[in-house]
Amino acid sequence: MEEAGWVPSSVDLDRPSAARMYDYYLGGSHNFAVDREAAKAVERIYPGMSGAARANRSFLRRAVRYLLAQGIDQFLDLGSGIPTVGNVHEIAQQTNPRARVVYADVEPVAVAHSSALLADNPLATVIQADLRATDTVLNSDEVRATLDFTRPIGLLMVGVLHFVPDSDDPHRAVARYREALPSGSYLALSHGSLEGVPEDGLDDTERVKAIYRRTDSPLVLRPREEIAAFFTGLEVVEPGVVPLPEWHPDSDDAYISAYVGVGRKP
Ligand SMILES: C[S@@+](CC[C@H](N)C(=O)[O-])C[C@H]1O[C@@H](n2cnc3c(N)ncnc32)[C@H](O)[C@@H]1O
């Protein structure tokens, strides 16, 4: 799979990427030796990683279905990742063929592969963007052409904010997105956390973080309180900001040390 035709020239094949490691955990094939090596090193420390990645995907699915049931028919998916089974536009357009989706990711392989997948889908598109550049994302031609900001939007930030360090103020970035959304919009997110990790697991977590420091996406695990703060000003829907497997469970999700929530803008 190395240097196949789909590899964008901007990809650094000597450096692992969080997007491609996640693709590996999910059993995908859009990853390189350097990603597999890093992902396997994580799995040696934390053998539950691929179950955790699947559990995160399962939350994404449940959240999108929940938003569809609330009448949401347009989505902005930030940190959307390399396409895999059950992408947002597939889930949404199954229920509502007119549903619209803009995907955004900073990682070139994720964008190239999404772009190929969406070539024949006039209602879904992808942009290469860093979610920290909030106004660039919000004012991009694709976002403005695809999403109608006079109607509610579902903003998805699933498994991505733990890659934004405190020094880049993720709370300010999310506040800017919340502010831009029309009333009746929703934010759904999942975020890795150290809460619930036993004392004797903390060393392992430090070793996992050291592996992610090799990527462009150092891992920042936050306490529940800081994750809940992403929903400031929103009405958090039941059951609140909770451990991932407890949010509208519909399967036996693996243990994953992450908090999730969905909030509605009044
Ligand atoms: C763990 S994957 C999650 C993918 C998908 N949202 C899901 O939950 O299945 C995290 C994704 O966030 C992307 N990412 C990390 N930092 C980002 C940033 N600052 N802006 C946009 N995307 C980012 C990575 O490239 C990766 O594709």
Side-chain angles (χ1 to χ4, degrees), residues 52-214:
R54 282 199 304 277
N56 186 61
R57 276 313 279 186
S58 164
F59 166 70
L60 172 68
R61 225 172 7 252
R62 302 201 297 278
V64 170
R65 290 201 180 121
Y66 177 88
L67 299 188
L68 287 162
Q70 311 313 309
I72 295 294
D73 63 359
Q74 40 176 4
F75 297 85
L76 178 56
D77 183 0
L78 302 180
S80 48
I82 294 172
T84 175
V85 178
N87 299 299
V88 172
H89 72 285
E90 291 158 353
I91 304 166
Q93 291 176 351
Q94 243 166 36
T95 302
N96 179 352
R98 294 159 62 93
R100 293 171 172 265
V101 182
V102 177
Y103 293 105
D105 204 287
V106 75
E107 209 278 333
V109 170
V111 176
H113 193 50
S114 303
S115 176
L117 183 76
L118 299 173
D120 297 326
N121 196 317
L123 301 180
T125 189
V126 60
I127 54 172
Q128 180 160 9
D130 189 318
L131 70 84
R132 290 169 286 195
T134 50
D135 286 8
T136 307
V137 172
L138 288 165
N139 296 323
S140 72
D141 291 347
E142 292 85 347
V143 165
R144 290 291 154 179
T146 310
L147 306 178
D148 174 359
F149 276 73
T150 67
R151 293 194 308 107
I153 292 171
L155 173 63
L156 308 170
M157 300 177 94
V158 179
V160 63
L161 288 168
H162 48 227
F163 293 124
V164 180
D166 288 342
S167 54
D168 290 342
D169 204 344
H171 288 90
R172 200 173 55 121
V174 175
R176 175 72 192 101
Y177 289 112
R178 285 196 312 260
E179 184 186 285
L181 293 176
S183 159
S185 294
Y186 285 83
L187 165 66
L189 65 80
S190 67
H191 192 302
S193 178
L194 271 181
E195 278 182 37
V197 174
E199 279 285 299
D200 63 2
L202 294 179
D203 275 358
D204 287 351
T205 309
E206 283 310 312
R207 286 160 63 212
V208 168
K209 283 161 98 176
I211 295 169
Y212 274 92
R213 277 198 290 276
R214 291 191 228 150

Side-chain angles (χ1 to χ4, degrees), residues 31-50:
N31 48 70
F32 308 113
V34 70
D35 307 309
R36 292 190 285 275
E37 194 190 303
K40 284 177 189 166
V42 170
E43 283 181 329
R44 278 195 292 277
I45 300 164
Y46 178 40
M49 196 58 215
S50 101

